[in-house]
Amino acid sequence: MKVPIIMLGSVSELQGYIDKTQLTEDLGGTLDYCHNRWLSRRTAIEGFAQKVKQTAQILQSFGTELAETELPNDVQSTSSLLATHTEKKDKMKEDIRVAVEQGDDILGSITKPVTENPDYKLNQDQLDNQTTVERLLAQLHETETAFDEFWMKHQQKLEQCLHLRNFEQNFREVKAALDIVSERLSAFTDVGNSRSHVEHILKDLANFKEKSDETVTKAKMLASERDAFIQSNHYAVDSIIPKCSELHHLCDAFTTEIERRRKLLNKSLELHDLLEKSMKWCDEGIYLLASQPVDKCQSQDGAESALHEIEKFLDTGPGNKIKELNKIYEEYAHILNEDLKDHVQKVFQKQESMEEMFQKRQVSLKKLAAKQTRPVQPVAPRPEAFVKSPCTSPGLQRENVSNSESSALRRVNYRKAKSETTELHQSRGGSTMDDEENLAVLRQHVMNELIETERAYVEELLCVLEGYAAEMDNPLMAHLIPPELQNKKDILFGNMEEIYHFHNRIFLRELETYVEYPELVGRCFLDQMEDFQIYEKYCQNKPRSESLWRQFSDSVFFQECQRKLDHKLSLDSYLLKPVQRITKYQLLLKEMLKYSKNCEGAEDLQEALTSILGILKAVNDSMHQIAITGYDGNLNELGKLLMQGSFNVWTDHKKGHTKVKDLARFKPMQRHLFLHEKAVLFCKKREENGEGYEKAPSYSYKHSLNMAAVGITENVKGDAKKFEIWYNAREEVYIVQAPTPEVKATWVNEIRKVLTSQLQACREASQHRTLEQTQSLPLPLPASSCASPSRNHIRNTKKTEEKKADLTSLEGCGTTVAPKYPEKGKGWAKPSHSLDASEENDGWSSAEEALNSSDAEEEGAGGAGEIKLTPGKYTVVTDYDKGASEEFTVKSGDLVQLIREGEDGLWFVKNLSSGREGWIPASNLLMLLGNSKSAQSLSSSESGTASSNLSTSSSCSDSCNVSSTSFSDIKG
């Protein structure tokens, strides 16, 4: 095909061939066309088309990912997945928004000429571009709409899954909480052993219900979400409905059970009200019988008046007493356990016994109220008319039988004695029988008071331990406890829990076994006396507890506990209960002893009273002991605290052998003395300050004396309240003035007991050591080798030297005797001649025993037998230069060793001070070393006192570790 080619030379020629409307403006035509603009627009349209395609692919891929995602099984994962998918969805939406804006911009640039000039006509190319962009925008909108619909479904499913997981988690928590409260509720099985106990349990149940209501409310609210799940067409509604039904069932079961428990406790409270009403009625009846005077009832008018009082009282019985025991058992069968059933039986038996007593009294009064044929003068019964119960039989002695057997035998003897007494009463007339009956009534009343107050005491302790102590460990109450109070429960409550367990598990049960034999209750106290020592620990901790309470008494924690317990008194009043209780026992024992003086068991009652008073004294002493300050050592190492008290003290010390009357001060020192088994402490009492237990005095430690080196002078001339305590053979003398002579006598006796026990221990140790030494003594040398130039002279002077035996102190075995020495140069007079009457009466010695066991065997009735010596080291108490002075001499203070005993009473002796050796007659040795056999317990003649002295020195433990016995010069 041939195409003609025309060569044109100008635009006008071109316009001849092509119409102007088809030519662009640069060729003189009217066609609106720019090639660069067409290229950019075409490029934008193609880019937009690619963007739409990519967006559709991304949405398709994201939708596939969402559809294939598995739903998590826990709240956290589900919540995280929902957040992740939502974040991706938001990003997709943002990409779609950007693409739509891009398409709108392209479309706007295409239609811009028409927008600016409505008469403008788009060319075909522009129309095609406009159509392409509009089609892409429509496709993009359709893709976005489809994605939105898919996302709504997916989001709903995720939200339902999250809701389900939250429900399942809450269900597990609520069910666990319901299981816990149901388990705690199952612990409320106790129906109480008294009215106050039942009331306490009811309060605990009410508090428990109040705390559990929150859990039950949560469970009910969670179960009510079932309707919301159903209405929302939840995909897992089939698994939700059974769980909601289970929650409803648990809540209803818990509410029903707690109501059943409450009804049981109310029934128990009703029974205890009935029992207490009966007990009160019986007590009032016993009071009535006890208050009717015997002498007034002897007259006809008095008998009629008393009979009227009894009848009037019996009229109140129907509303107060238990009518039929079987009906009680039947009505309250669902709450009667063994303990409660026994209690009901005891109350009913008491009621029957009381009614029987009333019947007997009515019979007696009716006889007296009958018309008498002759006047009768009422006479009050004399004490001699009371009939004593038989004495305790040998079979009841405590050392021969166990506690249980003793109690059983005592009750058997009691029944036997009671029957014998009843027969005796019948033969002696009505007045004596009535007096014995009154005493029995009073004893029973004291016993009832003892048991009832004991039960109340146990309940109060339990209330404090559960309502306060246990709450300090309760996590729910931890935010109310001040930080300084945390972990200080042991300080605040001491050993109250130990006291509670002792009374609840042991003492109360033992007391109840004596309810029918009140006069024998002393044995119950004696059997448990060791356990009462726990009160000493409680009282020692009381000042610390009181101080802690004063710091935090205004704490919200204590106020909340008091509110829950509905206590009118604060905690400190209940912390004082153990102190009050231990003091109450001695009052009740005194009352029981008052009404049981002629009964079997009176001796036990007296012993129990003495023991309780001893415990109170020990508690009081320990309260003072813990207030001692400034003592470096351990007070417990000093042994048991025996006595404590305040005294006026003067000092009169000596140094060496020369008496120095160096009085520290003319005015007495105020000192508080603490006598222990091993030492006596001198303290200064400080001013009392603070309040409550903080007001207790404190004692500043000054010095102490080891009891192993202490002696006493019992009487000081001029004052019956003074005595001396001296130390180390009167090197230190303390003149002590007691408040009263009685206090002085008590202290002197107690110190004497301590010194006596130490002396006895030393004697035993000395005898044991002497036996060991005698078994290992060397054989004496032959007589030829023992000869001495002074031998004949020594024999001639033997009797003379025996009369000059001196008094010494036995230091080696741990006992020091303070002798009364004569003036220097004068001989010894017999102690009995040198004593006045008062000294003879006060004479008491810690060294009346011989030096060793062999001496004790040879000592005669008059004490004049010869004393044998044993090998060992001794200190000489007087000079010796007689006989062979050039070979052997000793002076006062020299240390000598007795090596062996030869023939004719000679001892081979070595002077350890000079190193010389020689033979000395035993009689001379007795004069040189002293004779403990003849020593008496006399004070030094230089002290100017006529009294007896007692001392022990050097601990027995030290003396038992050496093999020799030494003497020491203690002359003034």
Side-chain angles (χ1 to χ4, degrees), residues 822-881:
E823 295 181 2
K824 188 173 183 180
K826 295 183 180 180
W828 290 93
K830 293 184 178 179
S832 60
H833 298 300
S834 65
L835 294 175
D836 57 20
S838 63
E839 289 174 322
E840 292 181 273
N841 292 335
D842 291 339
W844 189 87
S845 172
S846 64
E848 293 174 354
E849 189 176 2
L851 290 176
N852 51 45
S853 59
S854 62
D855 296 340
E857 293 172 359
E858 294 180 12
E859 183 178 18
E866 183 180 351
I867 297 178
K868 289 186 178 181
L869 299 174
T870 58
K873 296 179 181 180
Y874 298 84
T875 300
V876 177
V877 298
T878 184
D879 296 342
Y880 176 79
D881 55 1

Side-chain angles (χ1 to χ4, degrees), residues 748-795:
V748 168
N749 290 335
E750 197 64 37
I751 294 175
R752 182 188 291 121
K753 291 178 182 177
V754 175
L755 300 182
T756 303
S757 63
Q758 291 183 353
L759 177 59
Q760 182 63 31
C762 291
R763 284 174 176 169
E764 295 175 357
S766 176
Q767 292 175 2
H768 178 70
R769 185 170 56 255
T770 302
L771 289 175
E772 292 179 350
Q773 291 175 350
T774 55
Q775 293 174 0
S776 60
L777 285 178
L779 295 174
L781 294 176
S784 60
S785 64
C786 297
S788 173
S790 61
R791 187 168 183 175
N792 295 330
H793 174 73
I794 292 174
R795 289 178 180 175

Side-chain angles (χ1 to χ4, degrees), residues 210-248:
E210 183 179 351
K211 294 177 182 178
S212 304
D213 282 345
E214 182 179 356
T215 301
V216 175
T217 302
K218 286 183 180 180
K220 290 182 178 180
M221 290 180 62
L222 187 62
S224 64
E225 294 181 9
R226 179 183 61 176
D227 296 336
F229 281 109
I230 296 175
Q231 292 176 2
S232 63
N233 294 321
H234 198 283
Y235 69 90
V237 68
D238 293 338
S239 65
I240 294 174
I241 292 178
K243 290 182 173 63
C244 293
S245 301
E246 183 179 357
L247 289 178
H248 278 298

